[in-house]
Amino acid sequence: MKDMMKCEFPAKSVNEGFARVVVSAFASRLDPTVEELAEIKTAVSEAVTNVIIHGYQGGEGIIYIECEIKEKNLIVKISDKGAGIENVQLARTPLYTSNPDGERSGMGFTVMETFMDELEVKSLPGVGTTIIMKKQISSQEDEASE
Amino acid sequence: MKWDFERKKNLLVAKIFGEVDHHFAGALREEIDRQVINSGAKGLILDFSGVDMMDSSGIGIIMGRCRLMESMGGHLCVTGANEPIRKIILLSGLGKLVGVCDSIEKAEKILNTTNEIA
């Protein structure tokens, strides 16, 4: 049977912390280091913040999270049924922000790419966005036995 | 996320605790700005030694405070950032704009020297 979990919750900024906690709790069975756990939390935080600010543009909507563990890999899928991204390539460009007046850095996707091993972004304007991130966890037990 | 302020002569230290994200960013920004303006501090230290995680919302916080300090003729140092936070600071190019130090003491020395020269 697949080792996975699913959850969904309203796109409210107060749930950014909740999203980080559920994903990191699920990932903890892979015995990640403190640093790996912080990296996973940061990537999840970026993805969920994107959904709230850009996907649903501060309005109502649901964030869907699915996680899976495959051997030593954590796979995190975060989806929304929001505005979608017109130009994914442009959105992924470091420092690109659709809101240059605010204090948004345009580094969200770059941070996800840096902290996770793989990042896939699928988006359809008017339908929604799904991002899939993958990270291999260097189990601490292995390091100790090496 | 929690925060606490400490005044050290003409320097202001903002100690941040917990996880820095978009949810708390607005409140933290406003409070730091209020404290900086009220105190008239010439140097600001943002201490991250109590921060476990910071996402890119933190870049906006640091960059915005850097501009605020510059507009007041002052400077900004970041202290106590863990490895993932340092990575984010480097990625964003912020490392060129603000001082990044291990300890508050080191940041104090840098800011006091900078102020003397200025």
Side-chain angles (χ1 to χ4, degrees), chain B residues 3-15 31-47 69 72 74-75 104-105 108 111-112 115:
Chain B
W3 46 80
D4 197 11
F5 292 89
E6 195 183 326
R7 188 72 200 271
K8 293 196 173 187
K9 290 182 189 164
N10 58 352
L11 303 181
L12 181 70
V13 185
K15 293 181 179 176
E31 187 55 27
I32 296 175
D33 289 0
R34 205 173 62 84
Q35 295 271 353
V36 166
I37 292 162
N38 287 350
S39 66
K42 284 285 168 229
L44 174 65
I45 297 171
L46 295 180
D47 180 46
M69 291 315 291
M72 296 175 67
H75 297 275
I104 294 179
E105 289 69 29
E108 276 179 50
L111 289 172
N112 283 328
N115 286 340

Side-chain angles (χ1 to χ4, degrees), chain A residues 9-137:
Chain A
F9 48 88
K12 288 184 178 171
S13 67
V14 69
N15 284 329
E16 290 160 8
F18 171 74
R20 291 194 294 269
V21 168
V22 284
V23 176
S24 58
F26 182 72
S28 65
R29 77 181 63 171
L30 285 170
D31 199 17
T33 61
V34 173
E35 200 174 309
E36 282 171 333
L37 214 48
E39 290 175 344
I40 293 165
K41 279 186 171 184
T42 312
V44 169
S45 204
E46 299 295 351
V48 169
T49 304
N50 272 353
V51 173
I52 295 167
I53 298 180
H54 303 291
Y56 295 118
Q57 296 166 350
E60 283 185 13
I62 301 290
I63 300 175
Y64 305 86
I65 296 188
E66 269 184 66
C67 291
E68 196 185 332
I69 288 174
K70 266 189 191 166
E71 290 164 9
K72 285 182 179 176
N73 293 296
L74 172 74
I75 301 151
V76 185
K77 186 170 146 190
I78 299 178
S79 323
D80 66 71
K81 293 177 179 169
I85 304 166
E86 291 279 350
N87 186 336
V88 170
Q89 208 189 338
L90 180 65
R92 290 180 70 155
T93 310
L95 302 173
Y96 171 78
T97 172
S98 53
N99 175 19
D101 299 332
E103 283 195 355
R104 301 297 312 162
S105 63
M107 292 297 287
F109 279 122
T110 309
V111 169
M112 290 183 238
E113 280 169 359
T114 307
F115 286 168
M116 305 296 272
D117 299 330
E118 286 173 33
L119 170 70
E120 190 187 339
V121 184
K122 297 184 216 169
S123 191
L124 211 54
V127 179
T129 303
T130 295
I131 66 129
I132 302 166
M133 303 186 280
K134 200 168 159 185
K135 187 178 181 71
Q136 191 178 348
I137 304 302

